[in-house]
Amino acid sequence: MSNSHHTRLDGLDLARSLAMFGMLIMNFIVVTGAQGNGHFLLVSMTNLVEGRAAATFVTLAGIGISLMTKKARVTSDLRLRKNSKISLVKRSLFLYIVGMLLYTLGWDGDILHYYGVYMAFTVLILFSSPKIIITISIVLAGIAQFYQIFFDYMNGWHPNHPFLAYLDFWTISGFLRNLFLNGYHPVFPWICFLMIGLLIGRLNLRDNKTRNTILLFSTILFVISELLSRLLISFTTDTLLDATSATFLFATGPLPPNLFYLLSNTATALVIIVLALYVAEIYAGNWFIRSLIFTGQLTLTHYVSHVVIGIGLLLTFDKVVLFNGFESQPLSFTVLYACGFFAASILFSTYWRLQFSRGPIETVMRKWT
């Protein structure tokens, strides 16, 4: 086994790969309008993935940042800390610019420009104590919940195409509202996933006892949050609220990202990450797992390519042969398309990583920072 395998946690790359696959499925579903248009089991599977893949992706980002800046944090070297912050600011700017370019191309579901803002904010708390980071997370989650309850969460969204078209995105007020409060991945509360990742990244993730503790508590949190969500929806629908309001407040879906969404999806993300760490170690020599790890190392490249190539092909097919106007497409086709695109991504990643140490866009970002 090479030294890189001793220094790098391959399981994190495996988890990134799985999160990327989930994001492919959900983003292609949005583009084709296939949500719910298929067999019950397929609908249930995609509903389970919705929001969880992206949350895992952001949590992994927090872990990555924590590992990347570990030396500066542990040694308290002021020069190292300053350089870490500068590098992080450069990365955040790079991701923000790439995300805005994708948005300009027509990809309204972009996460990278949000991701860049999360990362920039992280500079302020990078070396803070766990107590401070947890307190800030709670405050930001509270602000998000307050806005969802007391303000019009649909403000800015097209009344006939909710969560598909944001009417005043290119105005100052609309842009800031979308970015911080009610976009696809608003800073309040999505940055909480990153901050949880920051804390998890400070733990010894090579230690099985630590992993098992995370796995146990995350599983318990998932079960409790999901059960409580269903009980509250059932109870309040019968007594206090209509079904829409109860779902809005207590469901664990991503829109809106309420408290129950945060709890359930944090738990899911951590379970996936810990299991991926184990799988990557147990099957370290397996060619397929190795290919998935390579794919996870190129997630930024694949994210951009799934918009430019993946969604680009879908829009081209829409005009040529496969689709029929604005009618929603079969869920089975969309999932198969996502599987095909992911398979192509795996093949490309494996070939590329045998030639180069980093992906194409990852290399550009590395040079930038």
Side-chain angles (χ1 to χ4, degrees):
M1 189 177 289
S2 67
N3 290 334
S4 63
H5 292 164
H6 289 294
T7 58
R8 187 181 182 101
L9 284 164
D10 286 342
L12 298 180
D13 291 320
L14 177 59
R16 285 187 188 95
S17 179
L18 298 175
M20 188 68 233
F21 182 42
M23 289 179 71
L24 287 179
I25 292 174
M26 295 316 303
N27 289 345
F28 289 154
I29 284 175
V30 169
V31 173
T32 58
Q35 185 74 47
N37 188 24
H39 190 276
F40 169 75
L41 291 177
L42 203 54
V43 172
S44 299
M45 183 200 77
T46 54
N47 286 344
L48 191 64
V49 172
E50 185 180 15
R52 299 185 191 278
T56 303
F57 201 62
V58 177
T59 305
L60 283 162
I63 294 175
I65 291 170
S66 195
L67 293 174
M68 185 177 71
T69 57
K70 179 180 179 180
K71 187 176 181 181
R73 185 181 69 254
V74 173
T75 62
S76 298
D77 186 304
L78 294 180
R79 182 181 60 82
L80 274 179
R81 289 193 170 195
K82 180 181 178 181
N83 290 341
S84 294
K85 290 181 177 181
I86 291 172
S87 176
L88 210 54
V89 169
K90 287 181 177 179
R91 283 178 182 240
S92 68
L93 183 59
F94 180 86
L95 293 170
Y96 179 82
I97 291 171
V98 172
M100 289 306 298
L101 286 173
L102 293 177
Y103 200 100
T104 304
L105 288 174
W107 175 228
D108 293 356
D110 174 66
I111 194 175
L112 290 185
H113 72 284
Y114 294 104
Y115 191 64
V117 175
Y118 308 156
M119 192 175 285
F121 179 81
T122 303
V123 172
L124 302 175
I125 58 164
L126 191 56
F127 304 112
S128 299
S129 69
K131 184 177 180 180
I132 289 175
I133 293 174
I134 291 170
T135 301
I136 292 174
S137 297
I138 293 171
V139 170
L140 297 183
I143 291 172
Q145 189 74 74
F146 180 83
Y147 177 80
Q148 292 163 21
I149 294 173
F150 294 103
F151 292 86
D152 179 13
Y153 190 75
M154 299 307 296
N155 188 12
W157 288 104
H158 195 297
N160 299 325
H161 305 287
F163 301 118
L164 289 176
Y166 207 85
L167 297 176
D168 58 348
F169 182 86
W170 295 110
T171 66
I172 294 176
S173 61
F175 180 83
L176 293 176
R177 187 194 322 114
N178 180 287
L179 178 64
F180 286 99
L181 297 169
N182 73 342
Y184 275 116
H185 310 97
V187 174
F188 305 148
W190 271 77
I191 196 172
C192 296
F193 292 121
L194 192 93
M195 291 196 283
I196 293 297
L198 273 180
L199 295 178
I200 296 299
R202 294 183 181 185
L203 304 176
N204 182 9
L205 294 177
R206 299 181 188 278
D207 176 53
N208 287 347
K209 184 177 179 181
T210 301
R211 293 178 184 177
N212 292 339
T213 302
I214 296 172
L215 189 59
L216 175 63
F217 281 99
S218 298
T219 303
I220 292 171
L221 177 61
F222 173 75
V223 172
I224 291 175
S225 59
E226 288 291 332
L227 283 176
L228 191 57
S229 166
R230 283 160 175 73
L231 286 172
L232 284 170
I233 290 173
S234 176
F235 174 75
T236 56
T237 299
D238 292 337
T239 57
L240 299 170
L241 303 168
D242 59 82
T244 302
S245 299
T247 302
F248 183 89
L249 289 173
F250 306 122
T252 56
L255 297 169
N258 58 36
L259 179 61
F260 289 92
Y261 172 76
L262 278 180
L263 294 175
S264 177
N265 285 262
T266 295
T268 306
L270 295 179
V271 167
I272 291 170
I273 291 166
V274 171
L275 291 179
L277 287 168
Y278 276 123
V279 170
E281 283 186 2
I282 295 169
Y283 300 100
N286 182 280
W287 66 269
F288 181 65
I289 296 300
R290 179 57 44 192
S291 296
L292 288 176
I293 289 168
F294 287 155
T295 306
Q297 292 169 358
L298 271 69
T299 46
L300 180 55
T301 292
H302 294 315
Y303 182 85
V304 173
S305 71
H306 104 280
V307 175
V308 178
I309 300 173
I311 294 176
L313 284 175
L314 283 173
L315 297 177
T316 302
F317 290 157
D318 186 20
K319 296 174 183 176
V320 180
V321 63
L322 285 179
F323 301 153
N324 50 5
F326 295 98
E327 294 180 18
S328 61
Q329 304 308 315
L331 188 57
S332 55
F333 167 81
T334 306
V335 172
L336 282 173
Y337 182 82
C339 290
F341 191 90
F342 187 60
S345 299
I346 293 173
L347 290 173
F348 175 82
S349 301
T350 304
Y351 170 78
W352 186 274
R353 279 291 283 107
L354 292 175
Q355 313 295 322
F356 308 100
S357 61
R358 291 185 180 85
I361 299 181
E362 286 80 2
T363 300
V364 175
M365 183 170 74
R366 177 77 174 185
K367 290 182 178 179
W368 171 284
T369 59

